[in-house]
Amino acid sequence: MSNMTNGSTDEVAKNDAAPATTILLTKKPGVAAPMSVVTGPPGTAVTASKTACIRTFGCQMNVHDSDRMRRMIRDAGYAEVQRYEDADLVVLNTCYVRENAVDRVRGHLGELNRLKKEGRVKKVALTGCIGAANESRELEKKYGIDLILGTHNTYELAEFVGLPGMEETFTPELPGTEGEHSAFVTIMTGCNYQCSYCVVPSVRGRMVCRPMENVVEEIRRLVGSGTRYVTLLGQTVDAWRDPAGSGERFCDLLERVADEAPRVWFTTSHPSNMEDRTLRLIGEKETIVGRLHLPVQSGSDRMLKVMHRGYKSERYRRKIEVFREAVPDGTLSTDIIVGHPGETETDHEETLKLVEDCSFDSAYVFKFSPRRGTEAAALSADPSGTVPEDVAQRRFMEVLRTVEQNAFRRNQGKVGSVEDIYVRHGRTGDGKAVGETWSGHAVHVPTEAQPGRYVTAKIESAGPHVLYAGDPAGRPR
Ligand code: 5AD
Ligand code: SF4
């Protein structure tokens, strides 16, 4: 069973939730590539003679970073291929949240090493969160990796592929994907928290916020080129402050963006930064999707302290009350870790109680996994505090079941309602498109409509994770 109960996003990477995405570039002699000519820097056309493949693991931040790297590689004259063996250059853009993420990447590196020995792949680059971690040195030696980049120096890929240095332009200022129906816009990078279990502060560094005007300009450009859905991204988006010193906070930015874009969402938020004004804004602004992802991690104040989360469960509950009141039909998701070192049965029961009280619409539930260099990893070296695997597994299932029961009940309440559904992915194998209501519910709907279009349909049934709509009325908009 997956550890995810819905398709929401998170603070960092969720490998189970986000399948590896392949972004491939260039044409190798003898390979029927989809593009033989790619656009280079403005005003030039480059005939592709080289091939590349970027594979992305993990979260939306990584997908976004891959997008940037794809542009550099395109500018350097590479074109798309579908398989490693057809690529001159392979870039693995990786995630480091849980141990199995590294294991998964090792499998890919082993295969690439073999292809290099056979002379099929020429260069391998490892980027992203694993690239930024100490472990990358061992991987570099073992698998003969040619280039290792962290999350802060991905611009160096430009030089590696033969473009002039891009240090100045390759910062969070660089725009996201333009001209597509939905775009991710990074408003801040890094994180100033020090949660006991988390590698993000060490691999992504401290918080850096993008200036308000810069974000708004990018969104105008995106909307002008056809983007219909903008997601503001960051590890703790609600900690955003205007670095230009205007004193503006996340709620001000969100309000501006909601006036510019036709559909807006944001992730991830931190309970200590979340302001009631932001929660009310979600309910007030028609363009903001009524979905809140607010990781709680534990329902026990003792564990929240051990984790250095900086809030008590009471604050979290109050925030949820404000959200439920401001956005009555909205959806609420969270992240929960079970089995953190020191977690007792009483702590676990408090988590179950909080899950019951908040009645989440979905949750990502994680079994604690020790990450090298974190405080919790050191704690887990002492067997007296560790939670045995069978206990962690039971707690995991108990939390998951409680979330699913509540989510199922809430979803049942949507049956019979008529919804405007935004199509996120076109028709899948079963002939249904995957869409999203304004309340943030995931819906399967039988339509040919392309991503970025709206259809109106009645909800006919519901499961714990998704709603099922009937045939839409009228034409897609
Ligand atoms: N073990 C288990 N879960 C973790 N997360 C982050 N680090 C760990 C870890 N070491 C979870 C947290 C976070 C989500 C993105 O991943 O719940 O919010
Ligand atoms: Fe990691 Fe905590 Fe920062 Fe989230 S808030 S990215 S869990 S350190």
Side-chain angles (χ1 to χ4, degrees):
M1 181 185 281
S2 152
N3 65 357
M4 183 186 72
T5 71
N6 205 344
S8 61
T9 52
D10 58 359
E11 288 177 52
V12 250
K14 292 186 175 79
N15 279 332
D16 299 347
T21 319
T22 313
I23 301 168
L24 303 141
L25 307 157
T26 300
K27 180 171 173 290
K28 208 175 186 179
V31 175
M35 285 191 296
S36 59
V37 175
V38 292
T39 312
T44 63
V46 184
T47 303
S49 58
K50 300 169 283 186
T51 53
C53 163
I54 300 184
R55 192 156 290 191
T56 313
F57 300 85
C59 67
Q60 286 169 341
M61 293 288 273
N62 277 14
V63 171
H64 188 60
D65 286 347
S66 288
D67 253 14
R68 295 169 163 186
M69 290 194 276
R70 173 170 50 177
R71 285 182 182 201
M72 293 179 206
I73 287 178
R74 276 199 179 149
D75 287 352
Y78 286 74
E80 295 192 23
V81 290
Q82 297 298 323
R83 300 177 310 175
Y84 287 157
E85 51 265 51
D86 298 332
D88 293 315
L89 167 66
V90 174
V91 179
L92 297 185
N93 189 20
T94 59
C95 145
Y96 188 51
V97 171
R98 282 166 298 142
E99 200 61 57
N100 66 5
V102 181
D103 292 341
R104 214 171 140 205
V105 167
R106 276 180 198 278
H108 288 259
L109 287 170
E111 188 193 341
L112 288 168
N113 197 18
R114 183 179 59 77
L115 289 168
K116 261 178 89 174
K117 285 190 181 133
E118 290 170 8
R120 294 161 86 177
V121 166
K122 295 200 181 72
K123 300 271 183 215
V124 174
L126 179 73
T127 66
C129 299
I130 296 180
N134 288 341
E135 226 156 334
S136 64
R137 307 226 183 291
E138 177 227 314
L139 296 173
E140 181 177 19
K141 268 205 208 110
K142 182 159 182 201
Y143 299 103
I145 301 168
D146 301 280
L147 178 71
I148 301 233
L149 297 175
T151 48
H152 282 109
N153 59 344
T154 26
Y155 56 83
E156 286 179 24
L157 182 69
E159 264 171 89
F160 187 73
V161 295
L163 289 176
M166 287 177 68
E167 182 152 12
E168 267 175 32
T169 52
F170 199 67
T171 64
E173 317 296 311
L174 202 78
T177 315
E178 289 184 46
E180 291 180 8
H181 77 99
S182 122
F184 299 113
V185 174
T186 302
I187 62 164
M188 50 91 65
T189 56
C191 176
N192 285 356
Y193 288 90
Q194 290 284 339
C195 299
S196 57
Y197 49 83
C198 184
V199 287
V200 167
S202 63
V203 297
R204 293 239 169 213
R206 288 184 68 78
M207 172 168 87
V208 177
C209 297
R210 254 177 99 177
M212 161 93 94
E213 288 313 321
N214 189 292
V215 172
V216 172
E217 262 167 43
E218 178 183 343
I219 287 169
R220 273 197 195 135
R221 249 195 338 265
L222 286 166
V223 173
S225 70
T227 297
R228 303 190 82 188
Y229 194 171
V230 170
T231 301
L232 304 179
L233 278 188
Q235 310 292 351
T236 55
V237 281
D238 51 341
W240 183 92
R241 295 283 179 278
D242 189 1
S246 68
E248 282 164 312
R249 311 188 305 267
F250 178 68
C251 46
D252 303 303
L253 176 68
L254 183 62
E255 191 165 0
R256 282 282 300 276
V257 172
D259 289 336
E260 298 284 346
R263 189 177 182 97
V264 180
W265 190 54
F266 57 91
T267 193
T268 286
S269 307
H270 191 287
S272 296
N273 297 107
M274 182 48 70
E275 294 193 66
D276 291 354
R277 213 186 116 200
T278 304
L279 297 169
R280 296 208 182 93
L281 198 64
I282 305 175
E284 284 160 18
K285 287 277 178 193
E286 284 190 343
T287 51
I288 305 178
V289 177
R291 175 148 74 104
L292 177 68
H293 182 65
L294 196 60
V296 66
Q297 313 298 359
S298 171
S300 145
D301 286 347
R302 208 184 64 81
M303 285 316 295
L304 288 171
K305 197 162 177 197
V306 170
M307 290 174 168
H308 308 308
R309 289 291 291 175
Y311 54 87
K312 292 189 174 170
S313 73
E314 187 47 36
R315 177 182 170 90
Y316 189 88
R317 286 164 192 272
R318 268 205 320 273
K319 293 290 154 195
I320 299 316
E321 256 172 50
V322 175
F323 174 70
R324 292 290 195 205
E325 198 187 310
V327 197
D329 71 339
T331 42
L332 171 67
S333 59
T334 196
D335 291 344
I336 291 169
I337 299 179
V338 299
H340 185 286
E343 186 189 62
T344 63
E345 212 48 37
T346 312
D347 297 319
H348 171 60
E349 274 156 25
E350 281 170 19
T351 297
L352 287 177
K353 172 121 184 39
L354 181 128
V355 167
E356 194 62 69
D357 294 346
C358 293
S359 200
F360 294 107
D361 296 276
S362 63
Y364 289 97
V365 187
F366 299 93
K367 266 191 283 184
F368 169 73
S369 110
R371 308 322 326 278
R372 198 179 292 173
T374 61
E375 191 181 314
L379 291 176
S380 70
D382 173 2
S384 67
T386 55
V387 176
E389 167 57 27
D390 56 334
V391 174
Q393 177 63 22
R394 173 182 51 78
R395 290 181 187 169
F396 172 79
M397 292 307 295
E398 285 173 0
V399 173
L400 206 59
R401 258 189 231 118
T402 313
V403 171
E404 285 189 346
Q405 280 162 5
N406 284 318
F408 185 58
R409 204 171 40 240
R410 288 181 65 82
N411 283 351
Q412 289 293 320
K414 294 294 284 181
V415 174
S417 71
V418 175
E419 302 283 336
D420 280 336
I421 300 163
Y422 178 87
V423 177
R424 302 191 71 159
H425 308 284
R427 256 171 20 134
T428 55
D430 66 352
K432 304 267 180 78
V434 181
E436 182 188 68
T437 62
W438 277 107
S439 50
H441 287 90
V443 193
H444 288 192
V445 54
T447 176
E448 301 272 343
Q450 294 297 307
R453 299 283 172 177
Y454 285 86
V455 293
T456 305
K458 190 169 176 178
I459 305 303
E460 292 191 331
S461 61
H465 308 140
V466 74
L467 308 178
Y468 300 94
D471 288 328
R475 297 180 60 78
R477 304 180 300 281

